[in-house]
Amino acid sequence: MTAPIETTGAEAGAQPEAVLSGVKKSQIEGRSLSQIAWMRFKRDKVAMAGGVVVILLTLMAVFSKPIQWIFNLDPNKFNQDLIDPALLAPKGGWGGMSWDHPLGVDPQYGRDMLARIIDGSWVSLLVAGGATLLSVCIGTVLGVVAGYYGGWIDSVISRLMDTFLAFPLLLFAISISAAVQDGFFGLEGLPLRICVLIFVIGFFSWPYIGRIVRAQTMTLRKREFIEAATSLGARGPYVLFRELLPNLVAPILVYATLIIPTNILFEAALSFLGVGIAPPQASWGGMLSNAVDLYTADPQYMFVPGLAIFITVLAFNLLGDGLRDALDPRSK
């Protein structure tokens, strides 16, 4: 037998190798998953820039009315003295740009373009955000149920997804929007059109996120923590909403961020076709529609709302890509 190795008092009281001299405690303590994701996201400067633009656009949309009041901006004020009747174009160059009208005026009535861009921002973001929320709620619930229970429940929900995906969404949206223009459920005018757009866009686009959530759920239901919860007697609703859904937040958040710009483009397309937001309410798609017949006389009339849509869609896409990389490092 070998003799036991004796340790001296100095060796017995020695610090573990992991504790380095001169290193603060905050530098070696563990980080949560959210902190790690935030660190990854901060390193992506492009995604950070997209996030800043999204925040500024959201603030502009939320406070559009106070901004118009503070800076005395009226999106529906006619300024016929700024229009050249012979050319049917704003007086001066660059669409009538001046200190009073930084983005120029429209060639029809001389309305301030900056005021109309600000006034149209809340419509676009409200419709896109509401439609995204509706589709995410429906798709998440049905996707989790289909992926967890499987069997005939999965078959029924999957065929329902296929049916909705087969709908010609654009033609269906045009038909519904045109059919309820006079009033529906006690609503009329602008509130009716906004509700119809949110319903049409959100209700018929939920299968996309439903398929993503279903696939993620089918993977997660085989994990040990789900089996442990089931073995301890947890029932289906508890497992769905307390075990599975918290682990699906990341893909749902990423998908929602990426689908918002798609819904913005869809709302702009419907307004462009004349079945979206009706005048006098400003909307970016409606401004593009009006510019079709006037862009030869005033190209900036089409450029300004097009640039607003482009910047908004690009910012949301950059933010979504950054969130995807931060929340799922395997994507790199």
Side-chain angles (χ1 to χ4, degrees):
M1 296 179 61
T2 57
I5 301 176
E6 297 182 359
T7 58
T8 62
E11 292 176 345
Q15 296 291 330
E17 295 181 2
V19 180
L20 303 178
S21 60
V23 178
K24 297 180 180 179
K25 180 181 178 181
S26 60
Q27 294 177 288
I28 60 175
E29 64 183 4
R31 296 184 176 91
S32 64
L33 293 177
S34 60
Q35 291 175 323
I36 295 174
W38 173 242
M39 290 178 57
R40 294 196 191 102
F41 184 76
K42 287 194 299 183
R43 296 193 190 105
D44 192 342
K45 303 303 181 184
V46 176
M48 286 289 291
V52 171
V53 174
V54 168
I55 293 174
L56 293 177
L57 288 171
T58 304
L59 292 176
M60 182 180 70
V62 172
F63 298 104
S64 60
K65 298 301 181 183
I67 291 174
Q68 295 174 45
W69 180 78
I70 293 173
F71 294 98
N72 194 26
L73 298 173
D74 188 352
N76 297 315
K77 181 181 179 181
F78 290 2
N79 298 289
Q80 295 291 352
D81 57 311
L82 301 177
I83 304 299
D84 188 341
L87 300 176
L88 294 178
K91 296 179 181 179
W94 299 97
M97 290 178 61
S98 63
W99 286 109
D100 295 329
H101 307 284
L103 296 181
V105 296
D106 74 70
Q108 285 182 306
Y109 309 108
R111 294 172 295 187
D112 184 75
M113 292 290 290
L114 177 60
R116 294 188 65 77
I117 288 294
I118 294 175
D119 193 47
S121 62
W122 73 267
V123 174
S124 296
L125 292 181
L126 176 61
V127 172
T132 301
L133 180 62
L134 178 61
S135 62
V136 165
C137 291
I138 299 175
T140 298
V141 172
L142 294 182
V144 167
V145 171
Y148 178 72
Y149 287 105
W152 67 269
I153 297 179
D154 183 24
S155 299
V156 171
I157 295 178
S158 297
R159 298 298 76 77
L160 185 63
M161 292 180 184
D162 296 336
T163 303
F164 271 83
L165 291 174
F167 273 103
L169 182 56
L170 182 59
L171 296 179
F172 207 72
I174 293 174
S175 302
I176 294 180
S177 301
V180 300
Q181 285 184 0
D182 296 332
F184 196 69
F185 285 121
L187 296 175
E188 59 183 9
L190 181 61
L192 173 64
R193 289 180 175 267
I194 291 178
C195 291
V196 169
L197 289 175
I198 291 176
F199 172 77
V200 170
I201 299 174
F203 185 73
F204 289 96
S205 60
W206 67 264
Y208 297 100
I209 189 171
R211 284 187 164 184
I212 295 175
V213 173
R214 172 181 173 272
Q216 293 288 334
T217 303
M218 293 178 68
T219 302
L220 288 175
R221 72 178 183 181
K222 300 176 183 178
R223 301 286 294 275
E224 292 81 1
F225 68 95
I226 298 296
E227 295 179 355
T230 305
S231 63
L232 292 174
R235 297 182 179 273
Y238 179 89
V239 176
L240 290 177
F241 296 101
R242 298 297 297 273
E243 299 291 342
L244 285 172
L245 275 183
N247 290 277
L248 294 171
V249 170
I252 292 173
L253 179 62
V254 171
Y255 181 82
T257 308
L258 292 174
I259 200 176
I260 286 178
T262 303
N263 292 338
I264 290 176
L265 291 174
F266 199 90
E267 181 275 327
L270 291 177
S271 297
F272 180 84
L273 294 173
V275 293
I277 303 302
Q281 173 60 47
S283 72
W284 296 346
M287 295 170 68
L288 282 176
S289 177
N290 295 333
V292 170
D293 299 327
L294 301 169
Y295 75 94
T296 54
D298 182 18
Q300 187 165 335
Y301 188 33
M302 179 173 286
F303 176 77
V304 172
L307 184 62
I309 295 175
F310 172 78
I311 292 175
T312 304
V313 172
L314 179 63
F316 272 103
N317 282 330
L318 294 178
L319 175 62
D321 289 340
L323 288 175
R324 180 189 59 199
D325 294 339
L327 296 173
D328 185 12
R330 292 175 300 176
S331 61
K332 289 187 176 182

mmCIF file of all heavy atoms in Angstrom, residues 5-6 10 36 66 89 139 143 163 171 179 219 246 249 257 268-269 276 282 285 299 305 313:
data_model
loop_
_atom_site.group_PDB
_atom_site.id
_atom_site.type_symbol
_atom_site.label_atom_id
_atom_site.label_comp_id
_atom_site.label_asym_id
_atom_site.label_seq_id
_atom_site.Cartn_x
_atom_site.Cartn_y
_atom_site.Cartn_z
ATOM 1 N N ILE A 5 -0.619 10.849 0.663
ATOM 2 C CA ILE A 5 0.171 12.046 0.380
ATOM 3 C C ILE A 5 -0.241 13.140 1.335
ATOM 4 O O ILE A 5 -1.421 13.482 1.447
ATOM 5 C CB ILE A 5 -0.046 12.500 -1.070
ATOM 6 C CG1 ILE A 5 0.370 11.371 -2.012
ATOM 7 C CG2 ILE A 5 0.716 13.770 -1.370
ATOM 8 C CD1 ILE A 5 0.111 11.690 -3.459
ATOM 9 N N GLU A 6 0.732 13.635 2.054
ATOM 10 C CA GLU A 6 0.432 14.701 3.005
ATOM 11 C C GLU A 6 0.454 16.059 2.304
ATOM 12 O O GLU A 6 1.237 16.286 1.396
ATOM 13 C CB GLU A 6 1.474 14.689 4.141
ATOM 14 C CG GLU A 6 1.433 13.399 4.956
ATOM 15 C CD GLU A 6 2.423 13.438 6.094
ATOM 16 O OE1 GLU A 6 3.146 14.464 6.216
ATOM 17 O OE2 GLU A 6 2.487 12.471 6.870
ATOM 18 N N ALA A 10 -0.215 25.435 3.536
ATOM 19 C CA ALA A 10 -0.311 26.395 2.443
ATOM 20 C C ALA A 10 -1.035 25.802 1.254
ATOM 21 O O ALA A 10 -1.842 26.449 0.600
ATOM 22 C CB ALA A 10 1.102 26.859 2.043
ATOM 23 N N ILE A 36 -26.282 36.253 -22.973
ATOM 24 C CA ILE A 36 -25.407 35.791 -24.058
ATOM 25 C C ILE A 36 -25.960 36.232 -25.409
ATOM 26 O O ILE A 36 -25.220 36.691 -26.286
ATOM 27 C CB ILE A 36 -25.261 34.260 -23.999
ATOM 28 C CG1 ILE A 36 -24.543 33.845 -22.709
ATOM 29 C CG2 ILE A 36 -24.514 33.744 -25.222
ATOM 30 C CD1 ILE A 36 -24.489 32.349 -22.494
ATOM 31 N N PRO A 66 -48.914 64.024 -32.179
ATOM 32 C CA PRO A 66 -48.195 65.086 -31.458
ATOM 33 C C PRO A 66 -47.084 65.735 -32.273
ATOM 34 O O PRO A 66 -46.867 66.947 -32.172
ATOM 35 C CB PRO A 66 -47.628 64.348 -30.226
ATOM 36 C CG PRO A 66 -48.544 63.195 -30.025
ATOM 37 C CD PRO A 66 -48.961 62.771 -31.391
ATOM 38 N N ALA A 89 -46.865 70.426 -61.761
ATOM 39 C CA ALA A 89 -45.737 69.985 -60.947
ATOM 40 C C ALA A 89 -45.438 71.066 -59.919
ATOM 41 O O ALA A 89 -45.775 72.239 -60.118
ATOM 42 C CB ALA A 89 -44.509 69.723 -61.820
ATOM 43 N N GLY A 139 -51.108 30.810 -35.451
ATOM 44 C CA GLY A 139 -50.120 29.833 -35.895
ATOM 45 C C GLY A 139 -49.393 29.164 -34.752
ATOM 46 O O GLY A 139 -49.102 27.954 -34.810
ATOM 47 N N GLY A 143 -49.876 25.306 -34.201
ATOM 48 C CA GLY A 143 -48.620 24.604 -34.460
ATOM 49 C C GLY A 143 -48.146 23.806 -33.269
ATOM 50 O O GLY A 143 -47.679 22.659 -33.414
ATOM 51 N N THR A 163 -54.749 23.979 -46.896
ATOM 52 C CA THR A 163 -55.909 24.638 -47.503
ATOM 53 C C THR A 163 -55.744 26.138 -47.510
ATOM 54 O O THR A 163 -56.002 26.806 -48.520
ATOM 55 C CB THR A 163 -57.187 24.254 -46.743
ATOM 56 O OG1 THR A 163 -57.340 22.830 -46.747
ATOM 57 C CG2 THR A 163 -58.406 24.894 -47.390
ATOM 58 N N LEU A 171 -56.046 38.087 -54.313
ATOM 59 C CA LEU A 171 -57.392 38.191 -54.880
ATOM 60 C C LEU A 171 -58.451 38.114 -53.785
ATOM 61 O O LEU A 171 -59.472 38.825 -53.837
ATOM 62 C CB LEU A 171 -57.615 37.075 -55.902
ATOM 63 C CG LEU A 171 -56.714 37.109 -57.144
ATOM 64 C CD1 LEU A 171 -57.023 35.928 -58.047
ATOM 65 C CD2 LEU A 171 -56.885 38.415 -57.901
ATOM 66 N N ALA A 179 -65.866 44.235 -50.713
ATOM 67 C CA ALA A 179 -67.229 43.855 -50.325
ATOM 68 C C ALA A 179 -67.709 44.554 -49.068
ATOM 69 O O ALA A 179 -68.916 44.731 -48.883
ATOM 70 C CB ALA A 179 -67.305 42.348 -50.132
ATOM 71 N N THR A 219 -39.608 18.504 -32.454
ATOM 72 C CA THR A 219 -38.241 18.264 -31.982
ATOM 73 C C THR A 219 -38.149 18.354 -30.469
ATOM 74 O O THR A 219 -37.497 17.518 -29.820
ATOM 75 C CB THR A 219 -37.283 19.273 -32.628
ATOM 76 O OG1 THR A 219 -37.353 19.169 -34.058
ATOM 77 C CG2 THR A 219 -35.848 19.028 -32.183
ATOM 78 N N PRO A 246 -42.300 28.487 -23.695
ATOM 79 C CA PRO A 246 -41.109 29.286 -23.349
ATOM 80 C C PRO A 246 -39.883 28.961 -24.183
ATOM 81 O O PRO A 246 -39.040 29.827 -24.418
ATOM 82 C CB PRO A 246 -40.883 28.949 -21.862
ATOM 83 C CG PRO A 246 -42.232 28.569 -21.358
ATOM 84 C CD PRO A 246 -42.881 27.848 -22.503
ATOM 85 N N VAL A 249 -40.025 30.790 -27.838
ATOM 86 C CA VAL A 249 -40.073 32.251 -27.932
ATOM 87 C C VAL A 249 -39.083 32.770 -28.967
ATOM 88 O O VAL A 249 -39.397 33.675 -29.749
ATOM 89 C CB VAL A 249 -39.800 32.881 -26.550
ATOM 90 C CG1 VAL A 249 -39.610 34.385 -26.676
ATOM 91 C CG2 VAL A 249 -40.947 32.575 -25.597
ATOM 92 N N THR A 257 -40.480 39.230 -36.445
ATOM 93 C CA THR A 257 -39.715 40.386 -36.910
ATOM 94 C C THR A 257 -39.539 40.362 -38.415
ATOM 95 O O THR A 257 -39.531 41.412 -39.067
ATOM 96 C CB THR A 257 -38.341 40.410 -36.217
ATOM 97 O OG1 THR A 257 -38.514 40.304 -34.812
ATOM 98 C CG2 THR A 257 -37.612 41.704 -36.521
ATOM 99 N N ALA A 268 -49.232 48.022 -48.415
ATOM 100 C CA ALA A 268 -48.938 49.016 -49.439
ATOM 101 C C ALA A 268 -49.473 48.576 -50.800
ATOM 102 O O ALA A 268 -49.984 49.399 -51.572
ATOM 103 C CB ALA A 268 -47.426 49.253 -49.511
ATOM 104 N N ALA A 269 -49.389 47.257 -51.079
ATOM 105 C CA ALA A 269 -49.901 46.759 -52.355
ATOM 106 C C ALA A 269 -51.412 46.912 -52.440
ATOM 107 O O ALA A 269 -51.952 47.319 -53.478
ATOM 108 C CB ALA A 269 -49.504 45.293 -52.527
ATOM 109 N N GLY A 276 -57.194 49.378 -50.132
ATOM 110 C CA GLY A 276 -56.614 49.475 -48.802
ATOM 111 C C GLY A 276 -57.128 50.705 -48.078
ATOM 112 O O GLY A 276 -58.328 50.900 -47.920
ATOM 113 N N ALA A 282 -53.611 59.514 -45.268
ATOM 114 C CA ALA A 282 -52.375 59.237 -45.998
ATOM 115 C C ALA A 282 -51.918 57.809 -45.724
ATOM 116 O O ALA A 282 -52.033 57.304 -44.605
ATOM 117 C CB ALA A 282 -51.285 60.216 -45.577
ATOM 118 N N GLY A 285 -48.681 53.243 -49.498
ATOM 119 C CA GLY A 285 -49.117 52.576 -50.718
ATOM 120 C C GLY A 285 -50.033 53.458 -51.544
ATOM 121 O O GLY A 285 -49.964 53.485 -52.779
ATOM 122 N N PRO A 299 -40.912 63.151 -60.415
ATOM 123 C CA PRO A 299 -40.420 61.831 -59.985
ATOM 124 C C PRO A 299 -40.299 61.698 -58.477
ATOM 125 O O PRO A 299 -40.422 60.594 -57.943
ATOM 126 C CB PRO A 299 -39.052 61.728 -60.668
ATOM 127 C CG PRO A 299 -39.100 62.710 -61.795
ATOM 128 C CD PRO A 299 -39.979 63.829 -61.327
ATOM 129 N N PRO A 305 -42.323 58.210 -50.906
ATOM 130 C CA PRO A 305 -42.977 57.067 -50.222
ATOM 131 C C PRO A 305 -42.296 55.728 -50.503
ATOM 132 O O PRO A 305 -42.277 54.848 -49.646
ATOM 133 C CB PRO A 305 -44.404 57.099 -50.775
ATOM 134 C CG PRO A 305 -44.314 57.832 -52.065
ATOM 135 C CD PRO A 305 -43.232 58.831 -51.890
ATOM 136 N N VAL A 313 -38.772 48.367 -44.460
ATOM 137 C CA VAL A 313 -38.633 46.939 -44.719
ATOM 138 C C VAL A 313 -37.197 46.489 -44.486
ATOM 139 O O VAL A 313 -36.950 45.429 -43.873
ATOM 140 C CB VAL A 313 -39.090 46.617 -46.153
ATOM 141 C CG1 VAL A 313 -38.767 45.166 -46.513
ATOM 142 C CG2 VAL A 313 -40.579 46.871 -46.314
#
